[in-house]
Amino acid sequence: MSLVKLGVIGIGNIGSSHVQMLNSGQINGAVLTAVCSSNESRIAWVKSHVKSDVKIFTDEETFFNESGCDAILIATPHYSHPELAKKAFAKGKHVLIEKPAGVYTKNVLEMNAAAKACGKVFGIMYNQRANPLYQKIRDIIQSGQLGDLKRTNWITTDAYRSQSYYDSSKWRATWKGEGGGVLLNQALHQLDIWQWTTGVMPKRIRSVCSIGKYHDIEVEDDVTAFVEYENGATGVFIASTGEAPGTNRYEIVGDHGKIVVENEQLIFYQLIQSEREFNSSYTGGFGQPEYKKINIPIKSENSNHGIIVQNWIDAIVKGSPLLSPGEDGVKALEISNAIYLSSWLNETVELPVDVDQYYEKLQQKINSSTFEKKHVTNSTLDVTGTH
Amino acid sequence: MSLVKLGVIGIGNIGSSHVQMLNSGQINGAVLTAVCSSNESRIAWVKSHVKSDVKIFTDEETFFNESGCDAILIATPHYSHPELAKKAFAKGKHVLIEKPAGVYTKNVLEMNAAAKACGKVFGIMYNQRANPLYQKIRDIIQSGQLGDLKRTNWITTDAYRSQSYYDSSKWRATWKGEGGGVLLNQALHQLDIWQWTTGVMPKRIRSVCSIGKYHDIEVEDDVTAFVEYENGATGVFIASTGEAPGTNRYEIVGDHGKIVVENEQLIFYQLIQSEREFNSSYTGGFGQPEYKKINIPIKSENSNHGIIVQNWIDAIVKGSPLLSPGEDGVKALEISNAIYLSSWLNETVELPVDVDQYYEKLQQKINSSTFEKKHVTNSTLDVTGTH
């Protein structure tokens, strides 16, 4: 097969980073042939950063109709992902979307249906799935070594953001512009890894999202969510952009022990005997099951965008399996939608959330918004070191 | 002043331990002169373990009227603490009660009023307050080094208990016998230390208490509670007796950094500049405040019952300040009552809880109970290594 002709639409913070990666030939089997952005200053940036034979489009319809691409990488603002992906599928293109899959599950499910109908290769940039650290955790759990799930706990407060980050664009951290805050932006990878490593989605969620607690924004920058799983296990997810230095600690407890990751160190506390068996057979009153403390020397690798793109191209070229199928994008979004809905309704919500109810509540937020950011700087930020 | 004549009432797991400590003369300024228990086998144990001049009583009225003690250490089951303390105050005795202060705040507040009216020295066995680890945390926070409180998180799941522990007594882990489970027993110290180190009580609590999740008991053995403080800070408290190996990790975030204690290691991440100041002055988009990571080499000392008893005796003899005033006992109990009430009502509750409402709900639990433990062994357990 000849090289996959690849187009990128959306040249903001992360899109620019992808263009540079593709333009420098880091992906085997693909070549950057087109770029699309409606932003003049970003087009100027593209012209000075890509090879001269890369076609540049400023209008998305022309891009889809005339670029001649086989595959499209969508890195536009969140809301547009499902709509653009559906357009690409309608043109028979393979698609890789940046996260989140969208902002509400209603149209993300439509996008997933379009992908299925089209049959093209559909991926999502959950690049943390390429992190060996999380792959190892998933292996331990999915292989049954941890035993039945009892409790999960993820404190992910290390994506600190100052007001200047939020002030870089008018649309950032607004209901209309992004449809959410820390959950949809900074902590979405963790929401995905949470369900991907354990292999289970929460069944019920109760949450408190604090709006503009630490910043001049109209969405949440601080979240605590309590979840319950089908088997009775419980979990807590805490995210914030207002703490420094933040924490990134993920703990998963099962019947055969406990996994803890913090400061990029993975420890598996493995019981010699199932806790449930010990509990019913031990007669000594105080006393607890024996365990081995296993330090697993795996290096965390955060910036794996290239691995996800290569994996997607390989799936197109060789038919190899996707690490991060596009259809999976709905899962973390489902969790984030449920967390928002629980906070808005001030009650426990069941998953899956009612797609129409969520859509309507979000529209109310957008339509009733009177929020105006005090200082907008309109700057493109360097994403080096972010995920 | 001559030696304080000390009597101990209640010779179960922990009372036996106190009797041995006192009998061996480890406390300066006090002498064990009397012991009271209505349990024949425990009386037999006392006779073979204390000096011959220690008076032994099997009836509490006679003990209070005729023992001639100056001071009473109360180590009976939870429910009886307020009633016995009030009797002791009425006789003009100094009192040290084992934790919890009681089971519901209604009569604990009466006990506190009686203590105040009597003017005698009233302490509670919050022996973790004598732990240098928690004293250091309190110092950092109370001295203002951590700045305004943002978030607390305590996962305290390392007090593992097997079914045989619960089977050791019929009354254990029943509403009637103990009035609660992991919260009132294993995690009460942490509830106290949580409010004592931060210096603030939660204002609102939302919780889920799971009843008999891991054991054949009628009370909770697994709890997750979300709290909000007056200043907008949030917190999570997780306790369980059904996980192995458990976690004991306490994280406190403030405007000037973060304190983390886990595996008995205390780390203070201290910001060079307040986060709030950094947030408003920084213009670089991504980027975060600088911090110093300070490892504080303090050894955790868990078994400090002797320090609390000595401190109480010193307060009696020398008028020195109490580390753990009896009146403080209501605070952790207030939090635990609120956690139960939130779970029972399935709603957020405000603190302080309505003392009558809580009392009535608890009576309903007791009166409607049909629970019978399947295997009761009636054994006294060695508390070595527990707190």
Side-chain angles (χ1 to χ4, degrees):
Chain A
M1 185 176 173
S2 58
L3 290 175
V4 174
K5 292 195 282 289
L6 189 51
V8 175
I9 180 167
I11 320 292
N13 296 342
I14 193 73
S16 307
S17 165
H18 296 336
V19 163
Q20 287 183 305
M21 171 177 68
L22 295 166
N23 187 65
S24 61
Q26 291 176 40
I27 304 300
N28 296 324
V31 59
L32 179 69
T33 59
V35 167
C36 180
S37 170
S38 58
N39 180 319
E40 279 182 29
S41 69
R42 300 311 301 151
I43 287 292
W45 178 89
V46 170
K47 284 180 177 165
S48 66
H49 283 78
V50 301
K51 290 171 185 160
S52 58
D53 55 352
V54 174
K55 292 178 209 159
I56 296 175
F57 297 85
T58 55
D59 169 71
E60 72 183 44
E61 292 301 326
T62 320
F63 171 70
F64 282 117
N65 290 326
E66 299 176 14
S67 65
C69 294
D70 306 310
I72 309 284
L73 198 170
I74 299 173
T76 52
H78 307 165
Y79 270 102
S80 58
H81 297 170
E83 184 199 358
L84 292 175
K86 283 192 283 182
K87 282 187 182 175
F89 291 131
K91 295 285 175 186
K93 317 281 189 195
H94 305 287
V95 171
L96 179 65
I97 52 170
E98 256 299 331
K99 56 94 191 171
V103 172
Y104 46 89
T105 55
K106 188 180 170 80
N107 63 355
V108 167
L109 291 170
E110 291 168 6
M111 169 177 70
N112 285 358
K116 192 175 177 185
C118 157
K120 293 293 172 179
V121 178
F122 177 34
I124 184 167
M125 191 66 87
Y126 279 147
N127 54 301
Q128 287 293 332
R129 290 194 184 189
N131 187 335
L133 185 67
Y134 296 129
Q135 290 183 336
K136 184 66 187 176
I137 293 174
R138 180 173 152 91
D139 285 350
I140 295 171
I141 299 173
Q142 300 302 317
S143 64
Q145 293 177 75
L146 190 67
D148 290 346
L149 189 68
K150 288 183 171 181
R151 191 171 56 74
T152 64
N153 187 282
W154 203 331
I155 304 173
T156 173
T157 55
D158 64 339
Y160 179 77
R161 296 292 184 266
S162 66
Q163 186 61 40
S164 61
Y165 162 83
Y166 293 107
D167 287 346
S168 66
S169 305
K170 189 182 173 192
W171 54 268
R172 191 173 283 291
T174 61
W175 293 116
K176 185 176 178 185
E178 293 200 289
V182 60
L183 268 191
L184 210 57
N185 253 299
Q186 288 75 32
L188 198 83
H189 285 301
Q190 285 77 6
L191 289 180
D192 178 58
I193 295 296
W194 192 23
Q195 67 79 25
W196 184 68
T197 48
T198 57
V200 286
M201 290 281 286
K203 284 302 289 179
R204 254 181 307 281
I205 293 186
R206 173 81 203 190
S207 74
V208 173
C209 299
S210 298
I211 301 297
K213 185 173 186 175
Y214 297 115
H215 306 95
D216 177 34
I217 54 176
E218 70 169 355
V219 297
E220 89 293 352
D221 54 7
D222 191 83
V223 174
T224 300
F226 169 75
V227 308
E228 293 167 273
Y229 298 93
E230 188 72 55
N231 76 340
T234 60
V236 167
F237 189 88
I238 294 167
S240 178
T241 58
E243 298 181 9
T247 294
N248 185 10
R249 182 182 186 277
Y250 182 26
E251 167 173 306
I252 314 120
V253 182
D255 185 35
H256 282 271
K258 179 173 73 167
I259 295 168
V260 179
V261 199
E262 186 172 9
N263 302 323
E264 313 219 320
Q265 190 184 13
L266 173 58
I267 302 175
F268 179 26
Y269 300 85
Q270 188 175 33
L271 296 183
I272 307 298
Q273 179 188 21
S274 136
E275 183 281 319
R276 296 286 71 205
E277 287 170 21
F278 178 89
N279 175 67
S280 55
S281 60
Y282 182 69
T283 58
F286 295 104
Q288 54 182 303
E290 270 185 69
Y291 66 91
K292 292 181 288 187
K293 181 179 174 181
I294 306 167
N295 284 286
I296 301 178
I298 280 206
K299 192 163 158 46
S300 175
E301 300 279 358
N302 285 315
S303 298
N304 306 305
H305 296 104
I307 296 176
I308 296 294
V309 176
Q310 188 64 64
N311 171 264
W312 172 61
I313 295 295
D314 288 349
I316 294 170
V317 176
K318 308 173 191 169
S320 52
L322 281 173
L323 185 56
S324 180
E327 289 82 356
D328 278 9
V330 76
K331 293 180 181 175
L333 190 64
E334 177 82 61
I335 300 171
S336 74
N337 281 190
I339 292 175
Y340 287 131
L341 195 60
S342 169
S343 186
W344 295 344
L345 299 174
N346 191 25
E347 62 187 37
T348 301
V349 302
E350 304 274 334
L351 275 75
V353 294
D354 180 321
V355 296
D356 292 314
Q357 183 189 24
Y358 187 78
Y359 178 75
E360 283 155 27
K361 288 277 172 196
L362 178 61
Q363 298 312 307
Q364 287 171 18
K365 292 273 171 201
I366 293 167
N367 296 331
S368 65
S369 171
T370 56
F371 178 79
E372 287 283 342
K373 232 176 250 178
K374 293 184 196 76
H375 306 285
V376 177
T377 57
N378 289 317
S379 43
T380 301
L381 303 174
D382 179 1
V383 296
T384 308
T386 72
H387 320 323
Chain B
M1 186 175 172
S2 58
L3 290 175
V4 174
K5 292 193 285 286
L6 189 51
V8 176
I9 180 166
I11 318 293
N13 296 342
I14 194 72
S16 308
S17 165
H18 295 334
V19 163
Q20 287 182 305
M21 170 177 69
L22 295 167
N23 187 65
S24 61
Q26 290 175 41
I27 304 300
N28 297 322
V31 60
L32 179 68
T33 58
V35 166
C36 178
S37 170
S38 58
N39 181 318
E40 278 181 29
S41 70
R42 300 311 301 153
I43 287 293
W45 178 89
V46 170
K47 284 179 178 163
S48 66
H49 283 78
V50 301
K51 291 172 184 158
S52 58
D53 55 353
V54 174
K55 293 178 207 161
I56 296 175
F57 297 85
T58 55
D59 170 70
E60 73 183 44
E61 293 301 328
T62 320
F63 171 70
F64 281 117
N65 290 326
E66 299 176 15
S67 66
C69 295
D70 305 310
I72 309 283
L73 198 171
I74 299 173
T76 52
H78 308 166
Y79 270 103
S80 57
H81 297 171
E83 185 198 358
L84 292 176
K86 282 192 284 182
K87 282 187 183 176
F89 290 132
K91 295 284 175 189
K93 317 281 189 196
H94 305 287
V95 172
L96 179 64
I97 52 170
E98 254 300 330
K99 56 93 193 172
V103 171
Y104 46 89
T105 54
K106 189 180 168 80
N107 63 355
V108 167
L109 291 171
E110 290 168 7
M111 169 177 71
N112 285 357
K116 192 174 177 187
C118 156
K120 293 292 172 179
V121 178
F122 178 33
I124 183 166
M125 191 66 88
Y126 279 146
N127 53 301
Q128 287 292 332
R129 290 195 183 187
N131 187 334
L133 185 66
Y134 297 129
Q135 290 184 335
K136 184 65 186 177
I137 293 174
R138 180 173 152 90
D139 283 350
I140 294 171
I141 299 173
Q142 300 303 318
S143 65
Q145 291 177 76
L146 189 68
D148 289 346
L149 190 67
K150 288 183 171 181
R151 192 171 56 75
T152 64
N153 186 283
W154 203 330
I155 304 173
T156 173
T157 56
D158 64 339
Y160 179 77
R161 296 291 184 267
S162 67
Q163 186 61 41
S164 62
Y165 162 82
Y166 292 108
D167 288 346
S168 67
S169 305
K170 190 183 172 194
W171 55 268
R172 191 172 282 290
T174 60
W175 292 117
K176 185 176 177 185
E178 292 200 290
V182 60
L183 268 190
L184 211 55
N185 252 299
Q186 288 75 32
L188 197 83
H189 285 301
Q190 284 78 4
L191 289 180
D192 179 59
I193 295 296
W194 193 23
Q195 67 80 25
W196 184 68
T197 48
T198 57
V200 286
M201 289 282 286
K203 284 303 287 179
R204 257 180 306 280
I205 292 186
R206 173 81 203 190
S207 74
V208 173
C209 299
S210 298
I211 301 299
K213 185 172 186 175
Y214 296 116
H215 306 95
D216 177 34
I217 54 176
E218 71 168 355
V219 296
E220 89 292 351
D221 54 8
D222 192 81
V223 174
T224 300
F226 168 75
V227 308
E228 293 166 274
Y229 298 93
E230 187 72 55
N231 77 340
T234 60
V236 166
F237 189 88
I238 294 167
S240 177
T241 58
E243 298 181 10
T247 294
N248 185 9
R249 182 183 185 278
Y250 181 26
E251 167 172 305
I252 314 120
V253 181
D255 185 37
H256 283 271
K258 179 173 73 167
I259 295 168
V260 178
V261 198
E262 185 172 8
N263 303 323
E264 313 218 323
Q265 189 182 13
L266 173 59
I267 302 175
F268 178 27
Y269 300 84
Q270 188 175 33
L271 296 183
I272 307 297
Q273 179 187 21
S274 136
E275 183 282 319
R276 296 286 71 204
E277 286 170 20
F278 178 88
N279 175 68
S280 56
S281 61
Y282 183 69
T283 58
F286 296 105
Q288 54 182 301
E290 270 185 68
Y291 65 92
K292 292 180 289 186
K293 180 179 175 181
I294 306 167
N295 284 284
I296 300 177
I298 279 206
K299 193 163 158 44
S300 176
E301 301 279 357
N302 285 315
S303 299
N304 306 304
H305 296 103
I307 296 177
I308 296 294
V309 176
Q310 188 65 64
N311 172 264
W312 172 61
I313 295 295
D314 288 349
I316 295 169
V317 176
K318 308 174 191 168
S320 53
L322 281 173
L323 186 55
S324 181
E327 289 81 357
D328 279 9
V330 77
K331 293 179 181 176
L333 190 65
E334 177 82 60
I335 300 172
S336 74
N337 282 190
I339 292 175
Y340 287 131
L341 195 61
S342 170
S343 186
W344 295 345
L345 299 175
N346 191 25
E347 62 187 36
T348 300
V349 302
E350 303 274 334
L351 275 77
V353 296
D354 180 322
V355 296
D356 292 314
Q357 183 189 23
Y358 187 78
Y359 177 77
E360 283 155 26
K361 289 276 172 196
L362 178 61
Q363 298 312 307
Q364 286 170 18
K365 292 272 170 202
I366 294 168
N367 296 330
S368 65
S369 171
T370 57
F371 178 80
E372 287 282 342
K373 232 176 250 179
K374 294 185 194 74
H375 307 285
V376 177
T377 56
N378 288 319
S379 44
T380 301
L381 303 173
D382 179 359
V383 296
T384 309
T386 72
H387 321 320

